[in-house]
Amino acid sequence: MPLIKTASINNLIDISFLNLKANFRNINGKNGWHQYLGSSKIGNIATSQGILLLDNFEQDFDKKHLAVEYLFGSQNFDNHKKEVDGGWTYVTNFVEVPSTEATCWALMALYKDHKNDERVKRGIQWLFSNYKNDSKDIGWGTIKTDVPRIYTTVLVLRTLNLYDLTNTEEFEKGLNWLLKSQNTDHGWGDQFGTTSTIFHTSFVLILLMDIKSKNTINIENGTKWLIKNFSTTNHADWNNISGLQEHIEFDLINCNNKHQRITYHHSPLPYALNALLKTGNINLPIVYDGISELMTNNNAGFWGHPHIQSTHIKPIWAIYDALLTFNTLRKCFYAWNNSEEVTIGELTGPDKEKFIKDSFNGVIAKKNNSLVKFISICIFNFILIVCAVILTTNPELKDWVALLSFWQIVVILIYSSAVLVEVIGSKYIFSKENFK
């Protein structure tokens, strides 16, 4: 039976937070983290991810406010340039203008305690101002003049969802573009029409689950693609998982056509696991194998990346990705904190019920349960009718049987209609609240 020791994961989480807090830096009055922990720089994305980890795990840290002050201090303001005003930039490459990625991470980090701050509202406006708002559905790129990309579009949609801005035209058009970008094989690549990768497919599925999307066909087909391609991964070398890096190259028109290159380092393994957990596939052996690999493939609470060879480089984003997957796993179990071990291969009892309710499989399970009820009613009704026919052969009971049969038929028709509506409705309903 595939068992995971809860203490092992809890200890990894504790060690990782010790590392995170120990690598908090003050560099020339700037406080926070760099993407490579221990570096002599402070980065906007890294600092945002550090804050998000503290918030998601409800960790106390007496220097968190300094990191928040740094984020606000590094925000760009220019009332005359919409491509600048309210956004955040990278700190190493491409520092000339704000980027979608850096701005989204900063806004997500500031949401919990500062969502009503006017500076945050200007950051949200930057996302709207730097959207190619034409007549067709389209996503977001790294900057406004860039091509739309899956990664940056998902980041923006996640940010807008967090701020309850899903009813905006930009959100709807961005989501439509994202759904249209699903390939014919049912996966997603880094752009519209590019080869599907495990990372990008997982990244999209996580978003669709988190926003409680009603596009169940896209989710179901995407999940099937992910299971198929993730299951065929060479588990002796998890580095073969597709979607490890994304290179972006373009010229900045407003900066003398300066050539820029940005590299997104992605972590497909934790995101694939996160997507499978959120879509209700905790019982797959590959999930157990992947969680086990994530637990063992770390260096004292640090995780690396296949394209970063040096063991001395400790990327904060790899820690972020791993810990969020562990957090998703912990939420699958009612009694995680009171259990020594949990079973991943076979959920039972209240854990199974909770997981069905919180996952995409809840839709299928609810529909199947409704069908079972409907079929059971039909069988029960048939048996009662047969009994009634037999009893009517007795003249003394004939009138009573007729009366009972009438009300039996009325009650069963009403109940059967309700169950039938439930069967049909469950095909279209997709919300956790409906499974309570």
Side-chain angles (χ1 to χ4, degrees):
M1 183 178 293
L3 296 173
I4 295 290
K5 292 186 178 298
T6 57
S8 298
I9 290 182
N10 291 339
N11 289 339
L12 266 179
I13 293 172
D14 292 342
I15 293 171
S16 296
F17 273 105
L18 288 175
N19 293 334
L20 183 71
K21 295 173 182 179
N23 281 277
F24 186 86
R25 292 287 184 268
N26 179 312
I27 308 294
N28 298 324
K30 298 178 180 180
N31 295 277
W33 295 269
H34 186 258
Q35 67 164 321
Y36 301 130
L37 295 177
S39 298
S40 58
K41 292 182 180 180
I42 305 297
N44 291 329
I45 296 177
T47 299
S48 299
Q49 290 178 335
I51 293 171
L52 282 168
L53 283 174
L54 294 171
D55 288 344
N56 286 332
F57 286 84
E58 299 180 347
Q59 288 272 329
D60 293 326
F61 185 48
D62 59 0
K63 297 180 181 178
K64 174 188 166 183
H65 68 285
L66 297 175
V68 171
E69 289 175 5
Y70 163 75
L71 274 187
F72 276 129
S74 61
Q75 189 177 12
N76 291 271
F77 296 106
D78 190 329
N79 292 326
H80 303 291
K81 294 182 178 180
K82 290 184 178 180
E83 70 273 15
V84 173
D85 188 50
W88 279 263
T89 67
Y90 297 110
V91 298
T92 302
N93 265 1
F94 189 29
V95 299
E96 290 82 4
V97 293
S99 70
T100 302
E101 184 190 24
T103 300
C104 285
W105 281 111
L107 289 172
M108 286 189 285
L110 295 170
Y111 172 78
K112 182 180 179 182
D113 298 321
H114 304 279
K115 61 183 177 181
N116 294 319
D117 192 291
E118 289 300 319
R119 293 166 293 182
V120 168
K121 293 179 181 179
R122 288 177 75 167
I124 294 292
Q125 186 56 49
W126 184 93
L127 292 179
F128 290 141
S129 298
N130 287 273
Y131 176 68
K132 294 180 182 178
N133 199 354
D134 52 23
S135 59
K136 62 181 180 180
D137 296 330
I138 198 169
W140 278 261
T142 304
I143 56 175
K144 189 172 184 177
T145 56
D146 186 25
V147 298
R149 301 178 185 278
I150 299 297
Y151 173 65
T152 43
T153 299
V154 170
L155 283 178
V156 175
L157 296 179
R158 179 175 294 281
T159 303
L160 295 181
N161 178 65
L162 188 64
Y163 282 86
D164 197 24
L165 294 169
T166 56
N167 60 343
T168 59
E169 180 184 8
E170 290 84 354
F171 182 92
E172 292 177 359
K173 292 172 71 173
L175 180 59
N176 288 339
W177 177 84
L178 189 68
L179 295 172
K180 292 176 182 178
S181 298
Q182 189 171 21
N183 292 325
T184 55
D185 65 1
H186 304 308
W188 279 268
D190 61 345
Q191 299 178 43
F192 182 93
T194 58
T195 304
S196 300
T197 75
I198 286 178
F199 170 77
H200 293 94
T201 301
S202 302
F203 206 51
V204 173
L205 288 174
I206 293 170
L207 170 76
L208 295 179
M209 292 302 301
D210 287 346
I211 67 173
K212 302 179 179 67
S213 172
K214 296 182 180 180
N215 302 96
T216 57
I217 298 300
N218 299 82
I219 297 174
E220 187 172 2
N221 289 337
T223 303
K224 289 178 180 177
W225 183 93
L226 179 60
I227 292 173
K228 176 182 176 182
N229 288 271
F230 189 47
S231 298
T232 56
T233 300
N234 179 7
H235 302 156
D237 183 10
W238 290 91
N239 298 346
N240 287 333
I241 300 178
S242 60
L244 285 165
Q245 278 188 334
E246 190 173 340
H247 299 295
I248 302 169
E249 300 192 32
F250 51 85
D251 296 321
L252 281 175
I253 298 176
N254 295 330
C255 298
N256 299 320
N257 290 330
K258 181 178 179 181
H259 186 73
Q260 290 285 347
R261 180 174 184 175
I262 301 170
T263 300
Y264 295 147
H265 293 286
H266 300 311
S267 304
L269 175 59
Y271 277 98
L273 293 170
N274 214 329
L276 291 175
L277 289 171
K278 285 180 178 287
T279 53
N281 291 284
I282 195 171
N283 287 333
L284 293 177
I286 187 65
V287 174
Y288 171 78
D289 293 341
I291 293 293
S292 299
E293 174 67 19
L294 204 58
M295 292 172 63
T296 56
N297 189 20
N298 76 92
N299 180 16
F302 293 105
W303 282 265
H305 190 275
H307 291 182
I308 299 176
Q309 300 300 324
S310 174
T311 57
H312 298 293
I313 297 178
K314 301 177 175 62
I316 189 174
W317 36 264
I319 296 176
Y320 177 89
D321 298 341
L323 292 190
L324 252 62
T325 300
F326 290 148
N327 203 31
T328 299
L329 177 64
R330 296 200 307 178
K331 290 178 180 178
C332 295
F333 298 91
Y334 275 118
W336 176 277
N337 293 329
N338 299 319
S339 304
E340 293 183 1
E341 296 176 324
V342 293
T343 304
I344 290 185
E346 300 176 4
L347 287 184
T348 58
D351 287 327
K352 182 176 181 179
E353 293 298 320
K354 177 180 185 296
F355 197 77
I356 287 177
K357 289 180 181 180
D358 291 346
S359 71
F360 173 67
N361 280 353
V363 175
I364 306 302
K366 182 183 174 97
K367 185 176 180 181
N368 289 340
N369 288 338
S370 300
L371 285 171
V372 169
K373 284 192 287 186
F374 185 71
I375 293 171
S376 299
I377 289 169
C378 292
I379 295 173
F380 180 67
N381 194 22
F382 176 77
I383 294 173
L384 286 179
I385 291 173
V386 171
C387 292
V389 171
I390 295 173
L391 289 172
T392 52
T393 58
N394 188 336
E396 295 180 2
L397 299 176
K398 187 175 181 178
D399 292 339
W400 284 102
V401 169
L403 182 63
L404 289 174
S405 296
F406 170 77
W407 286 110
Q408 164 209 332
I409 292 171
V410 170
V411 171
I412 289 180
L413 281 176
I414 294 173
Y415 188 65
S416 298
S417 299
V419 173
L420 187 59
V421 169
E422 184 181 6
V423 172
I424 298 172
S426 63
K427 179 179 179 181
Y428 305 101
I429 297 170
F430 186 69
S431 172
K432 276 201 306 187
E433 285 74 14
N434 294 315
F435 304 138
K436 289 181 179 178

